[in-house]
Amino acid sequence: MRILVTGGAGFIGGHLAERFVSRGHDVVVLDNFDPFYDTRIKDHTVEVCQNLADDGDGSYRLVEGDVRDAELVEELVADVDYVYHQAGQAGVRPSVEDPRKYNEVNVDGTLNVLDAARKTEIERVVFASSSSVYGKPEYLPYDEVHPTTPVSPYGASKLAAERYVCAYSEVYDLPTVALRYFTVYGPRMRPNMAISNFVSRCLNGEPPVVYGDGTQTRDFTYIEDVVDANEALLTDDAADGEVLNIGSTDNIDILTLAEEIRDQVAPELDIEFAERFEADAEHTHADISKANELLGYEPSRTIREGVQEFVEWYRANRDWYEPLVLES
């Protein structure tokens, strides 16, 4: 199959590209190498995918460009069977400083993908949405009918894009699926995330820093589970036109997470606390029953198992990954 992955040198998009190439598919990646975090991580991802292709699996082509370039997007979409639209401006906290950029990339960029797709006989467009669309919980866990009241410009931009994805499915009969990711983590994750920071500090004998009192909870989702859910959509149309939560259901508070990592890596360290960021969500917790019913989605790892795997990966890749975490 011919697959376009926008944002395909990034964390989630890169793992999707890697999986698809390893399965023998022909993959085109569109990425603008935005320096939101150190682009050397993206360079490493590209190298991994290219090596897979060189070893005789699927093909891999990198196109450096932007989803805001409608002409380029149309040209690339016209040549593939599936589009995995992972490109987006990430980061809840930075979105408070520059909300217009988040609208331009996340909303206008998504419209470019959708407009290009409805001009073709595309099999499916899969959109990367976010648990940030929910905002303040009225109840937990979140199911897909929970009110969507995002509390950050980032969340608002992802919700607007998601609504366009669903509207295009309804109005233009375009096969689309929107996956609401819940705090994805794993190898090659963004270096400024809580888990990578906790691990790095502990490995270097520095106490992990918790923002706020640590009672905030998160539904952390291991990257391989996210990739499995996306891959299922290559062959399963049961979720067309739908929005699905992709989480772990294994909710954990941030203080317990910090303690878990500390206990695995450097049990002698204390936990430090700093002021919480206002735009951060208080709680996230996914009800994944809809994804389970439609796709057979089942998380494969608890947070403790996933963290242990990440710590092992971190140790094995410390020479190139750790400097980027420390610089973030």
Side-chain angles (χ1 to χ4, degrees), residues 1 3 16 19-20 25 81-86 122-129 175-181 225-246 290-291 294-297:
M1 296 175 184
I3 303 170
L16 288 177
R19 172 73 66 84
F20 293 150
H25 300 301
D81 306 306
Y82 292 83
V83 177
Y84 282 81
H85 180 38
Q86 308 296 304
I122 203 85
E123 293 287 339
R124 188 164 297 109
V125 175
V126 181
F127 171 66
S129 188
T176 68
V177 181
L179 301 180
R180 290 175 178 167
Y181 300 148
D225 293 331
V226 170
V227 172
D228 288 344
N230 277 275
E231 187 178 27
L233 294 169
L234 283 176
T235 55
D236 197 329
D237 63 1
D240 282 356
E242 300 289 343
V243 173
L244 304 179
N245 288 337
I246 301 298
K290 186 177 179 182
L294 294 179
L295 297 179
Y297 172 72

Side-chain angles (χ1 to χ4, degrees), residues 111-134:
L111 280 170
N112 286 340
V113 170
L114 294 171
D115 280 336
R118 72 185 178 96
K119 297 175 183 177
T120 71
E121 296 297 320
I122 203 85
E123 293 287 339
R124 188 164 297 109
V125 175
V126 181
F127 171 66
S129 188
S130 166
S131 61
S132 293
V133 304
Y134 287 114

Side-chain angles (χ1 to χ4, degrees), residues 44-101:
H44 186 83
T45 296
V46 170
E47 183 180 351
V48 168
C49 293
Q50 190 62 65
N51 286 341
L52 280 172
D54 290 344
D55 287 342
D57 294 307
S59 67
Y60 179 82
R61 178 165 74 99
L62 172 67
V63 177
E64 290 196 42
D66 199 299
V67 290
R68 289 171 289 183
D69 183 341
E71 186 175 333
L72 174 61
V73 169
E74 184 170 337
E75 175 188 328
L76 296 177
V77 170
D79 222 20
V80 297
D81 306 306
Y82 292 83
V83 177
Y84 282 81
H85 180 38
Q86 308 296 304
Q89 190 64 44
V92 168
R93 297 169 190 170
S95 75
V96 176
E97 303 300 322
D98 191 5
R100 286 191 177 273
K101 182 177 182 182

